[in-house]
């Protein structure tokens, strides 16, 4: 430690003549050394060795911190003990230099070691604290995030299951409407065919076709056409029984008897009921068609296809019965709708003369033919082909997607080939693209 205190002004000047001062320490080296007295060089020896040790390098001093500190302590102890034995072994500047050389390296090395140990000890707790904090955060986050992830996964699975169930579940109303459309279709066709037969046009065709039997009691074709048109019109209008009961022939007699008028009234009730039911079924069928067209793709086609099959089955069965026994078939038909004894007449009655048996047979053939033709056309138009079922579009889309994927893979392969070969990009891409195009 350097003394920086100022020199007192009343300090006497030093005696500089060494001739009369035999005890000057600067000349001790010229005197013989006594056996029991240590000299300044001997006292300074430990300090010199310590200074040499300090000059040997800070690394050696730092590596041997414990031994240097012990040596420094011993030397520091020996130096003061040796100093009092001499009267004045050295000057103050030399003594301070020796003390600094003796204590400096050891104190510096010890302070360096202490500083490094303190820094290491301070860094180690901070690292341990950081690791502990990270582990604590991780350990603390795991119990919180694990239940949330599990709940989210379960919710996602539940939503996926609901979507799959909704996609697989078929609504009930479209299926019911399809069934109703299939049931209504044959009835509607039958009603329309009956309406086509109960018209003046069919009556004119029948009376004028070759082979139709004539009237054996004097009605001409014109008479039949006139009187028959009254009967047919009565079936579809809202007139009462007097519409036929007040008709007279050319001789002024009543054209239809009371039994005939009563039977025609019964026929009119059946025909009007049939037409009304047919109209209602047509309206319901239109509603079903509109709903299925907007809400259920392919529902109209499937309903009409099933209805055409049902119609074909019915018309083929009824046609077979009619061919096998027309008379029995005709009788059973009248027994279903009319009471016994109210629909049988003689050959001289006007209804038999206007509508003989051949007329009803031809009417049955026309009705069956119209229904059969309509059902066949419907069957052909609604046949479930691949295109109508949408398989053609799906196959085309799938093939297009496959071609696109294949083309993308070929392009990727062609672009990757020059890179693998180490060829320049612009020069290699041209031939690769040309090969892909060809």
């Amino acid at each position: 430690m350097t003394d920086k205190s100022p020199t007192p002004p009343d300090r006497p000047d030093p005696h500089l003549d060494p001739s009369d001062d035999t005890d000057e320490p600067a000349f001790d080296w010229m005197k013989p050394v006594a056996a029991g007295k240590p000299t300044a060089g001997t006292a300074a020896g430990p300090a010199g060795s310590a200074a040499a040790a300090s000059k040997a390098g800070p690394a050696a001093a730092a590596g041997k911190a414990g031994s240097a500190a012990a040596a420094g302590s011993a030397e520091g102890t020996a130096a003061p003990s040796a100093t009092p034995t001499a009267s004045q072994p050295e000057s103050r500047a030399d003594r301070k230099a020796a003390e600094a050389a003796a204590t400096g390296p050891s104190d510096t090395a010890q302070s360096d070691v202490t500083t490094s140990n303190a820094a290491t000890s301070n860094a180690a707790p901070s690292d341990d604290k950081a690791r502990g904090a990270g582990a604590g955060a991780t350990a603390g986050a795991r119990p919180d995030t694990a239940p949330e992830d599990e709940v989210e996964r379960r919710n996602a699975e539940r939503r996926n299951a609901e979507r799959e169930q909704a996609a697989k579940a078929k609504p009930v109303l479209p299926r019911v409407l399809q069934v109703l459309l299939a049931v209504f279709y044959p009835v509607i066709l039958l009603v329309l065919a009956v309406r086509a037969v109960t018209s003046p046009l069919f009556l004119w065709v029948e009376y004028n076709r070759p082979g139709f039997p004539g009237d054996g009691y004097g009605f001409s074709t014109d008479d039949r056409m006139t009187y028959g048109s009254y009967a047919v019109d009565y079936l579809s209008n809202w007139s009462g029984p007097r519409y036929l009961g007040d008709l007279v022939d050319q001789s002024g007699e009543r054209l239809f008897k009371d039994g005939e008028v009563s039977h025609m009234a019964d026929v009119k009730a059946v025909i009007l009921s049939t037409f009304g039911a047919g109209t209602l079924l047509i309206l319901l069928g239109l509603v079903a068609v509109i709903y299925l067209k907007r809400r259920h793709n392919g529902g109209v086609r499937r309903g009409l296809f099933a209805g055409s099959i049902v119609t074909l089955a019915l018309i083929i069965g009824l046609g077979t019965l009619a061919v096998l026994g027309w008379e029995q078939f005709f009788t059973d038909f009248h027994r279903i709708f009319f009471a016994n004894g109210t629909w049988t007449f003689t050959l001289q009655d006007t209804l038999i003369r206007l509508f003989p048996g051949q007329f009803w047979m031809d009417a049955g053939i026309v009705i069956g033919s119209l229904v059969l033709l309509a059902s066949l056309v419907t069957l052909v138009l609604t046949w479930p082909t691949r295109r109508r079922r949408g398989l053609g579009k799906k196959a085309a889309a799938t093939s297009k997607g496959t071609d696109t994927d294949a083309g993308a893979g070929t392009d990727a392969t062609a672009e990757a080939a020059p890179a693998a070969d180490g060829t320049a990009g612009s020069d290699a891409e041209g031939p690769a693209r040309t090969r892909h195009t060809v």
Side-chain angles (χ1 to χ4, degrees), residues 16-236:
L16 300 177
D17 187 6
S19 60
D20 57 351
D21 189 4
T22 58
D23 293 333
E24 178 64 33
F27 299 95
D28 286 345
W29 61 277
M30 299 176 63
K31 297 178 180 180
V33 180
K37 292 183 179 180
T39 62
T42 307
S49 63
S54 65
K55 291 180 181 179
K64 299 178 180 180
S67 60
S73 299
E75 292 169 358
T77 307
S81 65
T83 301
T85 59
S87 59
Q88 191 173 357
E90 56 185 350
S91 64
R92 185 175 59 181
D94 294 337
R95 186 170 60 252
K96 290 182 179 180
E99 291 177 0
T103 60
S106 61
D107 294 341
T108 305
Q110 186 174 3
S111 63
D112 293 339
V113 172
T114 305
T115 304
S116 63
N117 291 335
T120 306
S121 62
N122 291 332
S126 63
D127 294 340
D128 295 340
K129 289 180 180 179
R131 286 192 295 269
T138 305
R142 285 176 183 172
D144 295 337
T145 58
E148 294 180 359
D149 295 341
E150 183 67 20
V151 172
E152 184 66 22
R153 184 181 63 81
R154 290 180 180 179
N155 292 335
E157 292 178 355
R158 179 178 56 80
R159 289 192 296 268
N160 292 333
E162 290 177 356
R163 283 195 294 268
E164 291 178 359
Q165 185 177 3
K168 292 180 180 179
K170 295 182 179 180
V172 178
L173 183 58
R175 303 186 71 176
V176 172
L177 292 179
Q178 290 180 32
V179 173
L180 293 178
L181 189 61
V183 174
F184 293 167
Y185 188 68
V187 179
I188 292 173
L189 288 182
L190 184 61
V191 171
L192 293 177
V194 171
R195 184 65 184 89
V197 169
T198 57
S199 64
L201 178 60
F202 177 77
L203 195 62
W204 182 87
V205 171
E206 276 294 298
Y207 288 154
N208 290 278
R209 75 171 184 85
F212 190 79
D215 180 30
Y217 296 94
F219 282 164
S220 62
T221 302
D222 293 338
D223 294 338
R224 280 183 165 181
M225 190 65 198
T226 301
Y227 302 147
S229 297
Y230 277 106
V232 171
D233 292 340
Y234 173 73
L235 296 178
S236 57

